[in-house]
Amino acid sequence: MALDFSAVLSGNYGQMIVQGMEVTLELAVGAWLSAMVIALVLVVMRLANHRILTFFVAAWVSYHRNVPTLIQLMMWYFALPTLLPESIQMWINDRNAEFIFSMIALGLCQSAYFSEDIRSGLRAIPAGQTEGARALGMSYLRAMWSVILPQGIRNAWPALINHTVLLFKNTSLAMAIGVAELTYVTRDIENQTFRTFESYAVATVGYLACSLFLMAVGAVLARRFQRAYAR
């Protein structure tokens, strides 16, 4: 059978691919934002040198880095909702539960990687930076937010970009719980058209283009960080 990409790009199939990519990007952005916010909180907690907080963060990181992401997705979608009252379950189901739970699971999982990336970046900062900020009258949180974290994120930027790309690719796992992202619609199109190569080739190009775009943006921002701190 001759190759025919128009069979999977025209009409409803082309629209399905566009909608699948939109869902993929929305899921990736939502999970990234939640992961970054949680990661910053985890870093601040760990640097407080409080035994209970340090143990909590270490346990959080250990769980999310060692349990497969697919299992975490299924835990959030299939298992945890059964512990909620039926009224809350119905309320969530009426508001695209598959998307919500997949975004939560991916965000929480990625927060462990982001927090370790940032913590590694902070280790490269001399201790005198914190002492100097505190000597100027800054509180611990103010010193972390205004002086330490910006430098740590700059140092951790290459690792953060790599894990951002990983997060984008891991959105494909959401198909396991019924999220109509790019991989899900690609399989659906392949089942309807029997154009296996064309269907997955289009999805491959979509993922590759977005991943390369993320890495390019990361490289540009990294150069800007270097110029800004070199002044």
Side-chain angles (χ1 to χ4, degrees):
M1 185 169 58
L3 295 179
D4 183 11
F5 284 94
S6 64
V8 299
L9 291 173
S10 60
N12 291 334
Y13 298 133
Q15 185 177 0
M16 289 170 63
I17 291 174
V18 171
Q19 292 175 345
M21 179 58 75
E22 290 177 350
V23 172
T24 293
L25 294 175
E26 291 172 357
L27 182 58
V29 171
W32 189 92
L33 291 174
S34 60
M36 184 56 68
V37 171
I38 296 171
L40 292 174
V41 173
L42 293 173
V43 168
V44 173
M45 291 171 60
R46 194 158 197 169
L47 294 178
N49 290 324
H50 190 282
R51 186 173 59 181
I52 296 178
L53 294 180
T54 300
F55 174 80
F56 171 80
V57 175
W60 178 284
V61 171
S62 180
Y63 168 76
H64 287 99
R65 293 182 67 178
N66 291 287
V67 175
T69 306
L70 183 58
I71 295 296
Q72 296 181 44
L73 279 164
M74 292 183 173
M75 174 67 75
W76 272 97
Y77 183 67
F78 292 111
L80 293 181
T82 61
L83 304 178
L84 301 175
E86 185 175 353
S87 58
I88 297 180
Q89 293 183 41
M90 295 297 294
W91 184 87
I92 296 176
N93 289 335
D94 291 338
R95 289 162 177 80
N96 199 350
E98 295 84 1
F99 184 89
I100 292 173
F101 284 125
S102 61
M103 185 174 66
I104 292 173
L106 290 172
L108 295 180
C109 179
Q110 203 63 38
S111 69
Y113 293 91
F114 283 173
S115 68
E116 289 299 282
D117 293 339
I118 297 172
R119 190 166 74 97
S120 297
L122 293 175
R123 289 177 176 174
I125 301 174
Q129 296 273 351
T130 303
E131 296 171 357
R134 297 303 298 274
L136 292 174
M138 293 184 182
S139 65
Y140 170 75
L141 291 178
R142 177 67 184 276
M144 288 297 302
W145 181 258
S146 301
V147 179
I148 305 303
L149 280 179
Q151 298 181 67
I153 292 176
R154 182 198 63 177
N155 295 335
W157 192 249
L160 289 174
I161 290 299
N162 289 337
H163 282 131
T164 296
V165 174
L166 178 63
L167 170 61
F168 171 73
K169 293 187 295 183
N170 280 345
T171 57
S172 61
L173 297 174
M175 69 171 291
I177 60 175
V179 178
E181 43 73 55
L182 182 57
T183 304
Y184 182 96
V185 299
T186 298
R187 187 182 63 173
D188 194 17
I189 292 172
E190 189 271 334
N191 288 335
Q192 294 182 40
T193 64
F194 300 102
R195 294 281 181 176
T196 304
F197 180 85
E198 293 92 329
S199 299
Y200 287 104
V202 169
T204 298
V205 171
Y207 281 113
L208 181 61
C210 289
S211 296
L212 293 176
F213 175 76
L214 288 173
M215 289 188 289
V217 171
V220 171
L221 293 177
R223 288 195 293 269
R224 289 187 177 181
F225 288 156
Q226 292 175 356
R227 288 197 297 266
Y229 280 89
R231 296 174 182 174

